[in-house]
Structure formats: C-alpha cells, structure tokens
Amino acid sequence: MEQETQHFADVLLPVPLPGLFTYTIPLELMPEASPGKRVVVPFGPTRIMAGLIRKITTTCNTTANPKEILEIPDEEPIIQEEDFLFWEWIARYYLCAPGEVMQAALPAMLRLESQTSVALHPDFDGDKTTLSDQEFLVVEALQYTDRLTLKKLTDITGHPRVINLVQGLIEKQVVVARETMSEAYRPKRVTVVDLAQPYRDEKALEELFNTLEKRAYKQLELLMTWIRLTGFPERTAVILRQRLLKEASASPAALTALVDKGVFTESAQEASRLDKQPQEKDPEELQLSPSQEQALQQIQDGFSNNKPVLLHGVTGSGKTEIYIRLIHEAIKRKQQVLYLLPEIALTSQIINRMKAYFGHKVQVFHSRTNDHERAELWKNLISFNGHDDDISVVVCARSGIFLPFRNPGLIIVDEEHDHSFKQFEPAPRYHARDSALMLAKLRNIPIVMGSATPSIESYHHATHKRFQLVELLVRYGSAQMPKVEIANVSEAISKKAMRSHFTPQLVHAIKEALAQKKQVILFQNRRGFSLRLFCSSCGWHPGCPHCDVTLTYHKSINKLKCHYCGHMSALPTSCSECGSKEIRTGGFGTEKIAEESALLFANARVKRMDFDTTRTKDAYQSIINAFEQRETDILVGTQMVTKGLDFSNVSVVGVMNADSMIYFPDFRSFERSFQHIVQVSGRAGRHTHEGRVVVQSSRPTHDVLLLARQNHYKEMYRLQAEERRLFGYPPFTRLIRIVVKSKNNQLAGGAAHDLAASLRNALAAPVLGPEYPLVAKIRNEYLRHILIKLPRNKNPGAEKRKIEILTEEARKKSGSSKVRFVIDVDPY
C-alpha cells in the first residue's frame, strides 16, 4: 500500500517573533486543512496557542522535528490570501512581527482562548494518605471526570489561591496541568414565542378566546398582543419573548401558563447583536449642487485613471453628500465600502446620516464596539455575497483597515489629515491613511481621501500628480465662510479687560449668540481644570512619581492626575519643599473653561466633551445628541469638537489658547495649528446664518493665525513645504524613530549611544540623536530618541532591513530584560 505524503503547515502565531512556524498536519486533519483557517498548536514545552495556516507544503521548512497540529476548528477560512498579503506589507513597512499584525487585526473573540485545566497524572498510584484535606477534594473530583478547570477547582475547594494548591499537587506528581483552547465568541441567543399549531385553526382559536375571556383575562391580553404584533393570520413575524411581555404589560407567569397549556411554544433562535435600523431616505433622490456634481465627476475620472483621489473641500462644502453618492453606486454594483474616520466622536453623526440612506447595510466598528459585536461583524463580512441583508458599509476608526472585505468597491478616508489615524502603542505602529492607500493598491480598490485641510504629504502628492486633486472650495447652498477675528490676549491683560480666560471680543460674541438663541463651541486642547499646581513662594510643583511630567488638577474628582500613566494623588495642602501654604494653580483645561463659562453666562447650559467625559460607550452620542437637539448652549471640548461635526445652530466658535498649539516643539506644529483653527472655525455658520470665530492669542500677527483667518491653505502649504525641503522633513524624507527604554537611565543612554553610532556607520542617511524627548520618563522608564531621515531616492526596504538588523543586535547586546528598543516608522 502506497504511503500517503506528509504535509506541513506554515502557521502564523500572535507572538512578537519574526517569520512563520512549521507544524505537521496529521493525516486525519488533512481534509480540513487550508490556508486562512485557525489551528490549535503546541508552542514551547507547555503552551498551547491558536494560529492561522498561511500555506501548506510537502517540504519541511525547519531542521527541528516539527510538532503536530492539534485541532482545526473552522469549517471555512476566516482570512483570505489578499488579507495575508496586506498584513505582510504592514509588517515589512512598519518593521514589526507578522504575529503582532495578526494580534491587532483579529478580533479578540476569534483568537481562541487558552484555558488551564488539571488532570490526574498518568503515573499516580492512587495513594491519598499524604494529601491535605483540600488536595484530597481535588483528587476525588478528578476521579469522576477527565479534567477540571482552575475556576471549577476554586468552586470545589473554596481555596482562595487554588493555583498554589495545584502547584503542590504537580510537584507531588499527583496531577498534571494542561491547556485547552476554546472560542470565546458565542452567537447571541434569544427566546421567541410562536402560536402552537393546533390553535392556528380559526375555530380552535375562537374557542380559546371564549375560554380565556371567562377565566384568564391577562392571558387573553397576551394572546391578543401576540396577534397584533405578528399580523396573524395574514403574516406571522418572529416575536421576542421580552418584547411580547413588555408590549402586553404582562408577567412572565402569564406567559408560562399559556406555554403550559400548549397555546404558545417558546424556542431559542440565533439573533444579531448588530443594529438593524431601517432606511429612511432614498439615495437616488439626493440632489447635488453644480459644484458637487463637478467634483463627483472629477473623482470618477481619477478612479478611471487608477489614481487615489484627494478631495480638498472647505468645511461645509458637502463632501459627505458626495460620499453618499459614491457609496450608493458601489452598493448597486454589489460591492462593499470601507469608510474610515479618525475619531470615535465623528462616527455617531456620520453613522446616523449613513443609516438614514442605507439602513441596516451600514454598521460601525471602533474601539468602543464590544468584542462580541466585532466578531459578529467580522463573520458577516466574510459571508458577504451581495444580498439585500448583507452589510455593505462599515464606518470605522483606524483598526477598520484590517476588516475582511470580500468584495470591496470603495475606500473613503475622511479627515485624512488627522494624526489620530496613527497607531502609537502597541505594535504595529501603522498609519491608517497610508495603510489604506496600500490596501487600495494591492486589491485595486478606488480610494478617496477628503479634508478641508489636507496633510502636507497628501497635498504634495496631489500637486505632483501621484494623486488626483479635486477641489470643492465653496460651501453648500447659501452658507458663507465664517468671519474669523484674532483677539490679542496680551493687550487685554495689559488693559485689565480679561474676564478670567476670556477676552472682551469672545465674551461679547458669546453673549450675542446666546441672546439670539444660537449655540457656541469653545475649543481648548488640554483637558483637566488646571494644567499645574505650584508654590508661589519657591516655585515647586507636584510631579508624577512615575513620569517626567507635572500633574494636572481635575476639580471634578478633586485630585491631581498624570495623563501619561494615570497616577492620581490628593491635593497638597502645603509645599513639600519650603512648607508654604501658598499653593496656586496655573494654566487651564476644558474643565476650567466649562466651569467659568457657567459662571460668566449664568443662564447658559454648558457641557464638556473630552477624554474624561466620554469614557463610556454611548457618552459621545449622548453629548452630541444633546447639542444637536439644542439642550446645550455652550459645548467645551478638546480636538474632538474641531472636525467633521455638523451642527446647524452654531454661530460662534472660540479658540481659547492658540499659542499652546503654535509653539509646541514639533515640526508639524504650524501645520496642525492651522488645521485645528480652520477645522473648528468650520463648525460655525454652516447653514443660513453667518458664523463668527474668535481666536485668542498673545501673538496675533503670527503667520499661522493670519493664514488661518483667511483660510489660505495653499500659502500655508507653500511655506511649510519650502521649510521642510530645506531641513529635510516629510514629504521630502521618510522618518524612522527608535525609542530606547530602560528603568536604568544610564543603561538607556549607553544603549542609545551605541546604537546611534552603529546606524551612522551603516546608513547613508542622517541619524540624529540620541536625545532626551520632551517627556524623558514615562511609567518608570527612561527614554532616548534616535531619529533617522531616509532620503526619498533611496531604497527604503534595504535601509529598513539594516535598521532592523542593527536594532536586533543592540537588543541582544543590552539584554532584552533591561533595555527595550521600539522602532516607529513615520512617527509624527
């Protein structure tokens, strides 16, 4: 008999190690094995892990004796070849392990959970005389079952530290510990109520009515409610048990009685966790203005030329309506759409607008989406075949680039300039806009990127014909661009005209808006109440014990808080240096602005939108809804309020402190200051009335402020491009930052110095540093930065490989437990 050929699987595992891992495929599992399916495999001496089959071969790619795959739980692949190719590009470009990309891409509920269980040791002779009472309980229980989980053992023994108990039994060779894998995702199950078959006869139902009317009126009400909700007998819809009881205002006992009598049947069904909002508007009826129609045609021309499209449209120009038309065309072709947004705050408004036109075909995916919803969406996208019930549009934050679209027809990157598209921790440290561009190229998907203030890089590519540039420079309808004025803070202070942190111009504008029943947005790019506390006698200020920063005062919790590590401490009553009781506050954040607004404008209803007030899943939606429904007069917020939001009744926008953005030590500070000011200005006067914007600054003649006041993007781009060409910054170079971290400051400095010297010897590119960053210690780790500027005309792949090799050599030399090296490509 001919021996069957042995097959091997190269498996991708979610570990920060390079390459794939080779396993043998048992003959009985061979029919089930295919690329893209999950597998359960042993890893190391004791661990069991879940991975993905990358490819199947008949040759072994390792000199070691490969272990066997233990299980293949999937009937169909959950990852396609196109997904793998994209993941591999992410790993290569952003210099990280493929397993780290897998960890970021795959929803937690689909990764399979590892669970430790305990079984009797195969050599255990049954002697229990040396066991303690609790150990005896464990052994007794294991004699009636193959294995028990640690949780089950805790319940049996009542031992608070059952792991110690198990460890003792392992040392005595009484038990062995094993790991098993199970899928965390479980479909949602609901109970539905149906009318039993005998009572579907008209005569039997009439007799039942008469009986219940005399003896059980509550049960009769339940039956009548079921008939009303289902439309019986013309049609019969599925009715949830919970809904039936609520609509009938009935008790569970009444329903149970009808089930016991054989009137109703109850059964469990699988139900979706995803929102199924009905469609309200017809996309065919959406009317575009002549300028929008022209822009739409130019976008389609760019698609025909296989070019990415940059849509430069001023705030309020109607970019979203163009997106809706493009999405509608994709859905008609039975294709899917990826709609990327930088902020969760933006999704609530956009998702409502999209669902009004496309109903259940639109779903949302971001960090506040729970794990079960993420897994269900993933499975829905995998099974897409263009049916009416399929999900066609996903509105999502940056992690949406990893979703497994089966037939993608369009990618939209809205607010493409926003730095929130950049992932900083953990790896992969990707940029969603740039990754979306590569995804579009790999899979031949049309992509449009929109912004009122495009990034310097994107506009540079557009002006050099790499992207198709489409401009939409007039607001939709009769709306006018807001009037922007710059208030001189220094002058107001010298004249003693400031009202706390408000200039006279801003106070007057707010009062005028409130008198006209209009709304106000105030932008301050710092949260908290006061940015620092200090001693007025000696200048001491309380700092974080774990980070090299001062603590921020949060009045709502009456504590000092570190915004880097989360450390909190009580307010000091005296200076720890000189003992003085003269502790003052300095600076201001959103919390203080909100409090002062409520005091200055006594009848105004004030709300705040920042990281502290939007921690819960629905907090964004609640704050935005209240503002849309005019239940809030003044909305104070961080950059969350600066872009993308569309409020019809906002007439005044105040920028509280433009200087803190302009003078931030970053080569992008002028660009981002311009973007923030123009974007937040665009929230004013978006419909019929003219908006007014007051920008507060101590340097009112600064170029950034003057250009933002005129919304002169092209001149800002020209000045910034000229400066960056001169000093060698993007888009004229590629930046790679290496962060060296250690709990020992000297070790961090020495390792960084040695690595920088090696890089200078190996690379034909400027290597800057090592330098202390702005915050030189975070979470008890000391930091050094090395910055590499790769010229655009060099082969980035070869240079990156050198950087990777030298960093790995430095890691081995320094000792991985003492010094860490983090490579961040395109870090700013």
Side-chain angles (χ1 to χ4, degrees):
M1 182 176 176
E2 187 177 342
Q3 188 176 4
E4 291 194 48
T5 304
Q6 177 66 65
H7 286 78
F8 301 88
D10 289 337
V11 175
L12 176 62
L13 293 174
V15 292
L17 296 171
L20 304 171
F21 299 85
T22 302
Y23 290 86
T24 60
I25 306 174
L27 293 177
E28 65 271 17
L29 291 181
M30 193 58 220
E32 301 170 39
S34 64
K37 285 188 176 183
R38 292 173 297 175
V39 289
V40 178
V41 294
F43 187 74
T46 58
R47 294 181 67 189
I48 290 178
M49 296 192 72
L52 289 164
I53 298 177
R54 179 65 186 94
K55 57 184 176 181
I56 296 173
T57 65
T58 55
T59 56
C60 182
N61 296 324
T62 178
T63 55
N65 188 27
K67 298 176 181 179
E68 280 194 345
I69 290 174
L70 302 177
E71 187 182 348
I72 302 177
D74 293 323
E75 294 182 6
E76 298 292 334
I78 65 167
I79 294 296
Q80 285 186 323
E81 176 66 15
E82 295 90 341
D83 301 317
F84 277 127
L85 292 175
F86 179 55
W87 291 9
E88 287 160 4
W89 177 84
I90 293 266
R92 283 196 309 274
Y93 186 85
Y94 291 103
L95 299 181
C96 62
E100 291 176 308
V101 183
M102 174 187 168
Q103 186 76 6
L106 213 57
M109 288 289 174
L110 296 184
R111 289 185 208 140
L112 300 179
E113 286 187 335
S114 176
Q115 190 174 62
T116 301
S117 60
V118 176
L120 284 177
H121 195 288
D123 296 332
F124 176 56
D125 59 8
D127 182 10
K128 305 173 190 172
T129 56
T130 61
L131 303 181
S132 69
D133 290 344
Q134 288 178 321
E135 289 174 337
F136 182 87
L137 285 174
V138 171
V139 174
E140 280 283 297
L142 287 171
Q143 288 179 330
Y144 294 97
T145 183
D146 288 340
R147 61 182 61 191
L148 289 169
T149 64
L150 292 180
K151 183 180 184 303
K152 189 68 176 174
L153 286 176
T154 302
D155 296 339
I156 291 170
T157 63
H159 199 289
R161 296 176 183 264
V162 76
I163 190 67
N164 295 341
L165 184 66
V166 170
Q167 189 62 41
L169 287 169
I170 291 172
E171 290 171 3
K172 294 176 182 178
Q173 293 193 332
V174 175
V175 301
V176 291
R178 296 193 177 116
E179 285 201 35
T180 56
M181 304 297 295
S182 62
E183 184 168 351
Y185 174 73
R186 295 287 181 273
K188 183 180 178 182
R189 309 286 293 181
V190 294
T191 302
V192 296
V193 179
D194 202 357
L195 189 65
Q197 194 62 40
Y199 293 101
R200 291 180 176 270
D201 176 75
E202 186 178 341
K203 186 175 180 181
L205 188 61
E206 187 178 344
E207 290 175 1
L208 176 63
F209 272 130
N210 294 332
T211 302
L212 293 178
E213 188 175 16
K214 296 174 184 176
R215 301 179 183 176
Y217 191 72
K218 280 291 182 184
Q219 294 175 26
L220 177 62
E221 282 188 333
L222 256 175
L223 179 59
M224 292 175 67
T225 302
W226 183 91
I227 291 172
R228 174 174 59 82
L229 293 174
T230 60
F232 180 83
E234 286 78 13
R235 60 184 183 86
T236 305
V238 173
I239 296 299
L240 297 180
R241 182 180 194 273
Q242 186 177 2
R243 184 188 174 198
L244 177 61
L245 290 173
K246 183 179 179 181
E247 293 280 346
S249 301
S251 68
L255 180 56
T256 302
L258 286 172
V259 172
D260 292 342
K261 289 175 182 178
V263 176
F264 281 144
T265 61
E266 290 186 334
S267 59
Q269 288 189 8
E270 192 171 314
S272 175
R273 293 180 174 88
L274 304 177
D275 185 26
K276 296 292 184 181
Q277 183 175 319
Q279 180 179 332
E280 299 169 8
K281 300 179 182 179
D282 185 356
E284 298 281 356
E285 296 175 0
L286 180 64
Q287 297 296 315
L288 301 184
S289 67
S291 57
Q292 287 175 313
E293 288 284 3
Q294 183 181 1
L296 179 62
Q297 184 58 53
Q298 290 174 345
I299 290 170
Q300 291 167 334
D301 291 344
F303 292 168
S304 300
N305 296 325
N306 292 319
K307 278 188 175 183
V309 175
L310 177 64
L311 175 59
H312 178 200
V314 297
T315 56
S317 58
K319 295 186 289 295
T320 304
E321 284 76 13
I322 294 175
Y323 298 153
I324 290 170
R325 282 281 290 272
L326 290 169
I327 291 169
H328 180 52
E329 291 167 10
I331 291 175
K332 285 199 295 185
R333 297 191 300 267
K334 298 189 181 303
Q335 292 180 311
Q336 297 164 297
V337 179
L338 170 62
Y339 191 135
L340 285 169
L341 286 164
E343 292 272 5
I344 301 171
L346 300 184
T347 59
S348 57
Q349 266 202 333
I350 291 295
I351 197 75
N352 288 338
R353 294 183 71 178
M354 292 295 152
K355 284 193 173 183
Y357 282 101
F358 305 112
H360 66 273
K361 289 183 175 293
V362 180
Q363 292 298 329
V364 65
F365 182 89
H366 52 58
S367 61
R368 302 291 172 91
T369 308
N370 70 48
D371 288 341
H372 277 97
E373 290 169 344
R374 283 168 167 253
E376 185 174 326
L377 177 60
W378 187 282
K379 287 175 177 287
N380 270 269
L381 294 176
I382 289 171
S383 61
F384 177 84
N385 53 26
H387 290 166
D388 287 341
D389 290 338
D390 286 345
I391 295 168
S392 301
V393 186
V394 183
V395 181
C396 50
R398 59 176 178 258
S399 60
I401 60 166
F402 296 116
L403 289 170
F405 290 100
R406 288 298 175 254
N407 187 25
L410 176 66
I411 298 175
I412 298 170
V413 185
D414 205 2
E415 308 295 345
E416 67 83 29
H417 67 278
D418 198 284
H419 71 279
S420 298
F421 278 127
K422 170 69 176 176
Q423 163 80 8
F424 291 101
E425 289 292 343
R429 296 170 180 84
Y430 64 94
H431 195 293
R433 178 201 60 215
D434 299 342
S435 300
L437 282 164
M438 179 51 66
L439 179 63
K441 182 178 179 181
L442 287 172
R443 301 191 65 175
N444 195 28
I445 310 168
I447 180 171
V448 57
M449 301 168 289
S451 176
T453 54
S455 65
I456 297 293
E457 286 88 341
S458 293
Y459 200 77
H460 176 79
H461 293 323
T463 56
H464 286 73
K465 308 302 181 184
R466 296 189 191 100
F467 296 168
Q468 173 92 11
L469 178 62
V470 177
E471 294 183 310
L472 190 58
L473 303 180
V474 293
R475 279 193 156 185
Y476 181 79
S478 58
Q480 300 296 311
M481 294 300 291
K483 177 185 176 184
V484 181
E485 55 188 278
I486 303 170
N488 191 329
V489 174
S490 297
E491 183 180 285
I493 291 173
S494 66
K495 293 181 176 179
K496 298 183 179 180
M498 291 290 290
R499 300 280 301 275
S500 183
H501 297 288
F502 292 75
T503 57
Q505 293 99 311
L506 184 54
V507 171
H508 175 74
I510 293 172
K511 285 184 174 179
E512 195 174 71
L514 295 175
Q516 295 171 2
K517 305 296 182 186
K518 300 296 182 184
Q519 292 169 291
V520 177
I521 290 177
L522 298 178
F523 166 53
Q524 168 61 10
N525 206 26
R526 292 287 187 276
R527 59 191 172 100
F529 186 81
S530 295
L531 301 187
R532 63 189 180 278
L533 258 67
F534 65 94
C535 172
S536 60
S537 299
C538 70
W540 167 85
H541 55 263
C544 175
H546 312 297
C547 308
D548 190 19
V549 292
T550 56
L551 296 172
T552 300
Y553 174 46
H554 287 251
K555 190 173 182 180
S556 61
I557 57 175
N558 199 34
K559 287 185 181 294
L560 298 173
K561 187 174 183 180
C562 174
H563 289 171
Y564 284 85
C565 71
H567 168 81
M568 289 193 290
S569 63
L571 258 64
T573 55
S574 61
C575 174
S576 65
E577 295 289 330
C578 69
S580 170
K581 303 248 184 225
E582 295 297 317
I583 306 295
R584 305 283 176 85
T585 61
F588 57 95
T590 50
E591 188 180 5
K592 190 170 188 178
I593 294 302
E595 182 179 286
E596 290 179 348
S597 298
L599 293 172
L600 283 172
F601 312 104
N603 296 321
R605 297 162 296 179
V606 181
K607 281 205 173 181
R608 179 164 54 98
M609 189 163 79
D610 56 25
F611 183 78
D612 296 320
T613 61
T614 55
R615 292 179 183 273
T616 60
K617 180 180 178 181
D618 299 320
Y620 289 103
Q621 186 70 55
S622 174
I623 293 170
I624 289 170
N625 284 349
F627 199 67
E628 279 184 323
Q629 294 164 16
R630 304 185 186 183
E631 296 168 4
T632 303
D633 299 311
I634 301 175
L635 180 62
V636 180
T638 54
Q639 61 177 339
M640 293 178 185
V641 302
T642 64
K643 62 246 175 183
L645 298 172
D646 186 4
F647 300 116
S648 61
N649 197 45
V650 174
S651 65
V652 170
V653 166
V655 179
M656 301 304 300
N657 184 11
D659 299 337
S660 64
M661 298 183 292
I662 294 172
Y663 297 109
F664 190 77
D666 186 316
F667 78 92
R668 292 194 188 276
S669 61
F670 285 8
E671 175 192 7
R672 286 183 177 157
S673 299
F674 178 92
Q675 289 166 341
H676 280 320
I677 293 169
V678 170
Q679 289 282 349
V680 77
S681 298
R683 302 316 108 204
R686 293 177 68 90
H687 291 258
T688 54
H689 56 274
E690 184 181 10
R692 182 179 179 186
V693 181
V694 180
V695 181
Q696 297 189 155
S697 171
S698 296
R699 291 283 302 277
T701 58
H702 195 286
D703 285 348
V704 170
L705 299 179
L706 297 178
L707 292 170
R709 184 176 65 182
Q710 300 164 15
N711 197 12
H712 206 328
Y713 174 82
K714 290 183 180 178
E715 180 63 13
M716 186 278 296
Y717 165 77
R718 187 188 69 79
L719 293 173
Q720 285 298 292
E722 187 178 304
E723 188 173 287
R724 293 187 192 182
R725 186 192 300 274
L726 182 63
F727 292 103
Y729 282 99
F732 305 102
T733 59
R734 294 181 173 92
L735 298 183
I736 298 178
R737 181 176 64 192
I738 302 176
V739 183
V740 183
K741 303 181 177 184
S742 178
K743 293 187 183 296
N744 183 302
N745 196 17
Q746 289 184 329
L747 279 178
H753 183 272
D754 292 345
L755 177 57
S758 300
L759 290 167
R760 287 191 182 94
N761 291 332
L763 301 177
V767 178
L768 308 182
E771 296 290 344
Y772 287 98
L774 188 64
V775 180
K777 179 186 171 188
I778 297 177
R779 297 185 180 91
N780 291 320
E781 287 188 312
Y782 295 92
L783 313 179
R784 299 290 191 282
H785 283 184
I786 300 169
L787 189 65
I788 304 162
K789 295 182 177 180
L790 293 181
R792 284 275 172 182
N793 58 357
K794 291 284 182 184
N795 178 1
E799 297 294 280
K800 283 180 178 180
R801 184 62 187 145
K802 291 178 186 176
I803 293 168
E804 210 168 16
I805 291 169
L806 290 171
T807 305
E808 184 58 30
E809 288 175 357
R811 183 179 286 115
K812 290 176 181 176
K813 179 181 175 183
S814 303
S816 58
S817 62
K818 295 181 179 178
V819 182
R820 293 197 299 135
F821 298 83
V822 175
I823 303 176
D824 192 357
V825 178
D826 302 335
Y828 297 100

